Amino acid sequence: MDTRRTTGRALDRRTLLRGAAGMTAAAGIATVAGIGTAGPAFAYGWSRTLQQGLSGADVTELQIRVGGWAAAGAQQTYLAWDGAFGSATDGAVRRFQSAYGLSADGVVGPQTQSVLNSLESADGSTAHFEWSEFQSKDGSGFSNGKVGAAQVKENVRRLMYKLEAVRKKAGNSAITINSGFRSVAHNASVGGASNSMHVYGVAADIVVTGHTTLQVYRIAETCGFSGLEAYTHSWQHVDSRVQYPSYGSGSWWWESGVV
């Protein structure tokens, strides 16, 4: 749950992150975040200004962090993690910049990089989510799923950044994670589908404070989620199945259609 928002901890951490972001960027320390690796830990080291036409591991990391800004309205689209800064990445960056009060020019320089880094935490999670919120409720942590624990954790990290976008679009409302990663055994015990996206760490069932499930569904339609369960439940299921074709569920599934 998003309980840190009512404490001084979040402010202290964000302040620390901003300072560390500038120091690390100046040092030019970069961490590559490939799909099969754990993500960067503290203050990603943006070593250059990014803009349309560039490519590289830092562009991939950018795409992870602005993936929740994939569309301006309800659209079955997502931002690919391909390391190529094209028009889709440019659009996502501009929407991110506008939401955070930056000049929406699509150029990812020091100011935008600082805001991007303010959304990460020292342990590699994000500013408003903890790893523990996404761990399997049977005590398995990130283990005993259908992929290894390190892969699950990276998948969860990418999911967290999309959920940061949901939170921002919901007026910075707190998000409760009802279910994140599930071990195979826990997934079976709760009646989940055998190939549920939860067993890979690419799905979450969420409740957004002050918002109906229908409202959350509509927000999620803009965030690059390819799996949306019907909004008739007391929670909203979101997942990124199309971005993980090797997991065997590579088609769009918006159960309530476009709302």
Short mmCIF file of all heavy atoms in Angstrom, two decimals, residues 103-137:
data_model
loop_
_atom_site.label_atom_id
_atom_site.label_comp_id
_atom_site.label_asym_id
_atom_site.label_seq_id
_atom_site.Cartn_x
_atom_site.Cartn_y
_atom_site.Cartn_z
N SER A 103 9.11 21.93 -19.69
CA SER A 103 8.91 22.33 -21.07
C SER A 103 8.74 21.08 -21.92
O SER A 103 9.63 20.22 -21.98
CB SER A 103 10.13 23.12 -21.57
OG SER A 103 9.99 23.45 -22.92
N ALA A 104 7.58 20.94 -22.57
CA ALA A 104 7.26 19.72 -23.31
C ALA A 104 7.87 19.77 -24.71
O ALA A 104 7.17 19.89 -25.72
CB ALA A 104 5.76 19.53 -23.37
N ASP A 105 9.19 19.64 -24.76
CA ASP A 105 9.90 19.74 -26.04
C ASP A 105 10.44 18.41 -26.54
O ASP A 105 11.04 18.33 -27.60
CB ASP A 105 11.03 20.75 -25.93
CG ASP A 105 12.03 20.43 -24.82
OD1 ASP A 105 11.93 19.34 -24.20
OD2 ASP A 105 12.91 21.28 -24.54
N GLY A 106 10.25 17.34 -25.76
CA GLY A 106 10.72 16.03 -26.16
C GLY A 106 12.21 15.82 -26.00
O GLY A 106 12.74 14.76 -26.32
N VAL A 107 12.91 16.83 -25.44
CA VAL A 107 14.35 16.73 -25.22
C VAL A 107 14.59 16.36 -23.75
O VAL A 107 14.13 17.06 -22.85
CB VAL A 107 15.05 18.06 -25.56
CG1 VAL A 107 16.55 17.97 -25.26
CG2 VAL A 107 14.82 18.41 -27.02
N VAL A 108 15.30 15.27 -23.54
CA VAL A 108 15.52 14.76 -22.19
C VAL A 108 16.89 15.23 -21.70
O VAL A 108 17.90 14.53 -21.80
CB VAL A 108 15.41 13.22 -22.16
CG1 VAL A 108 15.53 12.71 -20.72
CG2 VAL A 108 14.09 12.78 -22.78
N GLY A 109 16.90 16.45 -21.18
CA GLY A 109 18.11 17.05 -20.64
C GLY A 109 18.13 16.96 -19.13
O GLY A 109 17.34 16.22 -18.53
N PRO A 110 19.01 17.72 -18.47
CA PRO A 110 19.18 17.63 -17.02
C PRO A 110 17.90 17.81 -16.21
O PRO A 110 17.69 17.09 -15.22
CB PRO A 110 20.19 18.74 -16.71
CG PRO A 110 20.98 18.86 -17.97
CD PRO A 110 19.99 18.64 -19.09
N GLN A 111 17.03 18.75 -16.58
CA GLN A 111 15.81 18.96 -15.80
C GLN A 111 14.89 17.75 -15.88
O GLN A 111 14.39 17.27 -14.85
CB GLN A 111 15.08 20.21 -16.29
CG GLN A 111 15.71 21.52 -15.84
CD GLN A 111 14.83 22.71 -16.22
OE1 GLN A 111 14.34 22.82 -17.34
NE2 GLN A 111 14.63 23.60 -15.26
N THR A 112 14.66 17.25 -17.07
CA THR A 112 13.80 16.07 -17.23
C THR A 112 14.43 14.86 -16.57
O THR A 112 13.75 14.06 -15.90
CB THR A 112 13.53 15.79 -18.71
OG1 THR A 112 12.86 16.92 -19.29
CG2 THR A 112 12.65 14.57 -18.90
N GLN A 113 15.74 14.71 -16.72
CA GLN A 113 16.43 13.58 -16.10
C GLN A 113 16.33 13.63 -14.58
O GLN A 113 16.18 12.60 -13.92
CB GLN A 113 17.89 13.57 -16.55
CG GLN A 113 18.04 13.22 -18.03
CD GLN A 113 19.42 13.54 -18.59
OE1 GLN A 113 20.30 14.01 -17.88
NE2 GLN A 113 19.60 13.30 -19.88
N SER A 114 16.37 14.83 -14.02
CA SER A 114 16.24 14.97 -12.57
C SER A 114 14.87 14.52 -12.09
O SER A 114 14.74 13.83 -11.07
CB SER A 114 16.49 16.43 -12.16
OG SER A 114 16.33 16.60 -10.77
N VAL A 115 13.83 14.90 -12.84
CA VAL A 115 12.48 14.48 -12.47
C VAL A 115 12.33 12.97 -12.63
O VAL A 115 11.75 12.29 -11.78
CB VAL A 115 11.42 15.22 -13.29
CG1 VAL A 115 10.03 14.68 -12.98
CG2 VAL A 115 11.47 16.72 -13.01
N LEU A 116 12.88 12.43 -13.71
CA LEU A 116 12.86 10.97 -13.89
C LEU A 116 13.51 10.27 -12.71
O LEU A 116 12.99 9.26 -12.20
CB LEU A 116 13.58 10.60 -15.19
CG LEU A 116 12.86 10.92 -16.50
CD1 LEU A 116 13.81 10.79 -17.67
CD2 LEU A 116 11.65 10.00 -16.70
N ASN A 117 14.64 10.79 -12.26
CA ASN A 117 15.34 10.15 -11.14
C ASN A 117 14.64 10.37 -9.81
O ASN A 117 14.83 9.60 -8.87
CB ASN A 117 16.78 10.64 -11.08
CG ASN A 117 17.69 9.88 -12.06
OD1 ASN A 117 17.22 9.04 -12.80
ND2 ASN A 117 18.97 10.20 -12.04
N SER A 118 13.81 11.41 -9.72
CA SER A 118 13.07 11.62 -8.48
C SER A 118 12.01 10.54 -8.29
O SER A 118 11.46 10.39 -7.19
CB SER A 118 12.41 13.00 -8.47
OG SER A 118 11.27 13.05 -9.31
N LEU A 119 11.72 9.79 -9.34
CA LEU A 119 10.73 8.73 -9.26
C LEU A 119 11.32 7.38 -8.93
O LEU A 119 10.61 6.37 -8.88
CB LEU A 119 9.95 8.64 -10.59
CG LEU A 119 9.04 9.83 -10.90
CD1 LEU A 119 8.42 9.68 -12.28
CD2 LEU A 119 7.96 9.97 -9.84
N GLU A 120 12.63 7.32 -8.71
CA GLU A 120 13.23 6.05 -8.32
C GLU A 120 13.68 6.10 -6.86
O GLU A 120 13.84 7.16 -6.28
CB GLU A 120 14.42 5.70 -9.22
CG GLU A 120 15.62 6.59 -9.05
CD GLU A 120 16.82 6.13 -9.88
OE1 GLU A 120 17.32 5.02 -9.62
OE2 GLU A 120 17.25 6.88 -10.77
N SER A 121 13.83 4.92 -6.29
CA SER A 121 14.25 4.78 -4.90
C SER A 121 15.63 4.13 -4.81
O SER A 121 16.09 3.52 -5.77
CB SER A 121 13.24 3.93 -4.11
OG SER A 121 12.00 4.59 -4.04
N ALA A 122 16.24 4.27 -3.67
CA ALA A 122 17.61 3.79 -3.49
C ALA A 122 17.75 2.29 -3.73
O ALA A 122 18.82 1.81 -4.12
CB ALA A 122 18.11 4.15 -2.09
N ASP A 123 16.67 1.53 -3.49
CA ASP A 123 16.76 0.08 -3.65
C ASP A 123 16.33 -0.39 -5.04
O ASP A 123 16.20 -1.58 -5.28
CB ASP A 123 15.92 -0.62 -2.57
CG ASP A 123 14.44 -0.31 -2.67
OD1 ASP A 123 14.05 0.51 -3.54
OD2 ASP A 123 13.66 -0.87 -1.87
N GLY A 124 16.11 0.57 -5.97
CA GLY A 124 15.74 0.20 -7.33
C GLY A 124 14.25 0.14 -7.58
O GLY A 124 13.82 -0.03 -8.73
N SER A 125 13.45 0.28 -6.52
CA SER A 125 12.00 0.37 -6.71
C SER A 125 11.67 1.80 -7.13
O SER A 125 12.56 2.56 -7.51
CB SER A 125 11.26 -0.03 -5.43
OG SER A 125 11.58 0.88 -4.38
N THR A 126 10.41 2.19 -7.05
CA THR A 126 10.06 3.56 -7.43
C THR A 126 9.58 4.34 -6.22
O THR A 126 9.37 3.80 -5.14
CB THR A 126 8.99 3.57 -8.54
OG1 THR A 126 7.77 3.00 -8.06
CG2 THR A 126 9.48 2.84 -9.78
N ALA A 127 9.39 5.63 -6.43
CA ALA A 127 9.15 6.55 -5.31
C ALA A 127 7.91 6.22 -4.50
O ALA A 127 7.88 6.46 -3.28
CB ALA A 127 9.04 7.99 -5.83
N HIS A 128 6.90 5.66 -5.13
CA HIS A 128 5.65 5.44 -4.43
C HIS A 128 5.27 3.97 -4.28
O HIS A 128 4.15 3.66 -3.88
CB HIS A 128 4.52 6.20 -5.14
CG HIS A 128 4.76 7.68 -5.18
ND1 HIS A 128 5.22 8.33 -6.30
CD2 HIS A 128 4.65 8.62 -4.21
CE1 HIS A 128 5.37 9.62 -6.03
NE2 HIS A 128 5.03 9.82 -4.78
N PHE A 129 6.20 3.08 -4.59
CA PHE A 129 5.95 1.65 -4.46
C PHE A 129 7.14 0.95 -3.85
O PHE A 129 8.28 1.32 -4.10
CB PHE A 129 5.60 1.04 -5.83
CG PHE A 129 4.37 1.64 -6.45
CD1 PHE A 129 4.48 2.62 -7.42
CD2 PHE A 129 3.12 1.24 -6.05
CE1 PHE A 129 3.36 3.21 -7.98
CE2 PHE A 129 1.98 1.81 -6.60
CZ PHE A 129 2.09 2.80 -7.56
N GLU A 130 6.85 -0.08 -3.06
CA GLU A 130 7.89 -0.89 -2.42
C GLU A 130 7.91 -2.28 -3.06
O GLU A 130 6.86 -2.79 -3.48
CB GLU A 130 7.60 -1.04 -0.92
CG GLU A 130 7.52 0.26 -0.15
CD GLU A 130 8.89 0.80 0.23
OE1 GLU A 130 9.90 0.24 -0.26
OE2 GLU A 130 8.94 1.77 0.99
N TRP A 131 9.08 -2.90 -3.08
CA TRP A 131 9.17 -4.27 -3.58
C TRP A 131 8.21 -5.18 -2.82
O TRP A 131 7.56 -6.05 -3.41
CB TRP A 131 10.59 -4.81 -3.42
CG TRP A 131 11.65 -4.15 -4.24
CD1 TRP A 131 12.76 -3.49 -3.78
CD2 TRP A 131 11.74 -4.08 -5.68
NE1 TRP A 131 13.51 -3.02 -4.83
CE2 TRP A 131 12.92 -3.38 -6.01
CE3 TRP A 131 10.94 -4.57 -6.71
CZ2 TRP A 131 13.31 -3.14 -7.32
CZ3 TRP A 131 11.31 -4.34 -8.03
CH2 TRP A 131 12.49 -3.63 -8.32
N SER A 132 8.12 -4.98 -1.51
CA SER A 132 7.31 -5.87 -0.68
C SER A 132 5.84 -5.88 -1.08
O SER A 132 5.15 -6.88 -0.86
CB SER A 132 7.44 -5.47 0.80
OG SER A 132 7.04 -4.13 1.00
N GLU A 133 5.36 -4.79 -1.66
CA GLU A 133 3.96 -4.72 -2.07
C GLU A 133 3.64 -5.69 -3.19
O GLU A 133 2.48 -6.07 -3.38
CB GLU A 133 3.61 -3.31 -2.53
CG GLU A 133 3.73 -2.25 -1.46
CD GLU A 133 3.44 -0.86 -2.02
OE1 GLU A 133 2.24 -0.51 -2.10
OE2 GLU A 133 4.39 -0.15 -2.38
N PHE A 134 4.67 -6.09 -3.95
CA PHE A 134 4.46 -6.91 -5.14
C PHE A 134 4.88 -8.36 -4.93
O PHE A 134 4.72 -9.18 -5.83
CB PHE A 134 5.24 -6.32 -6.32
CG PHE A 134 4.72 -4.99 -6.78
CD1 PHE A 134 5.10 -3.82 -6.13
CD2 PHE A 134 3.83 -4.90 -7.84
CE1 PHE A 134 4.61 -2.58 -6.55
CE2 PHE A 134 3.34 -3.67 -8.26
CZ PHE A 134 3.73 -2.51 -7.61
N GLN A 135 5.43 -8.68 -3.76
CA GLN A 135 5.90 -10.04 -3.53
C GLN A 135 4.72 -11.00 -3.31
O GLN A 135 3.65 -10.60 -2.85
CB GLN A 135 6.84 -10.07 -2.32
CG GLN A 135 8.16 -9.37 -2.60
CD GLN A 135 9.08 -9.31 -1.41
OE1 GLN A 135 8.64 -9.44 -0.27
NE2 GLN A 135 10.37 -9.11 -1.65
N SER A 136 4.95 -12.26 -3.65
CA SER A 136 3.90 -13.27 -3.52
C SER A 136 3.44 -13.38 -2.07
O SER A 136 4.25 -13.41 -1.14
CB SER A 136 4.42 -14.62 -4.01
OG SER A 136 3.39 -15.60 -3.99
N LYS A 137 2.15 -13.45 -1.89
CA LYS A 137 1.58 -13.43 -0.54
C LYS A 137 1.74 -14.74 0.21
O LYS A 137 1.31 -14.85 1.36
CB LYS A 137 0.10 -13.04 -0.62
CG LYS A 137 -0.12 -11.60 -1.11
CD LYS A 137 -1.57 -11.20 -1.05
CE LYS A 137 -1.80 -9.80 -1.62
NZ LYS A 137 -1.09 -8.76 -0.88
#
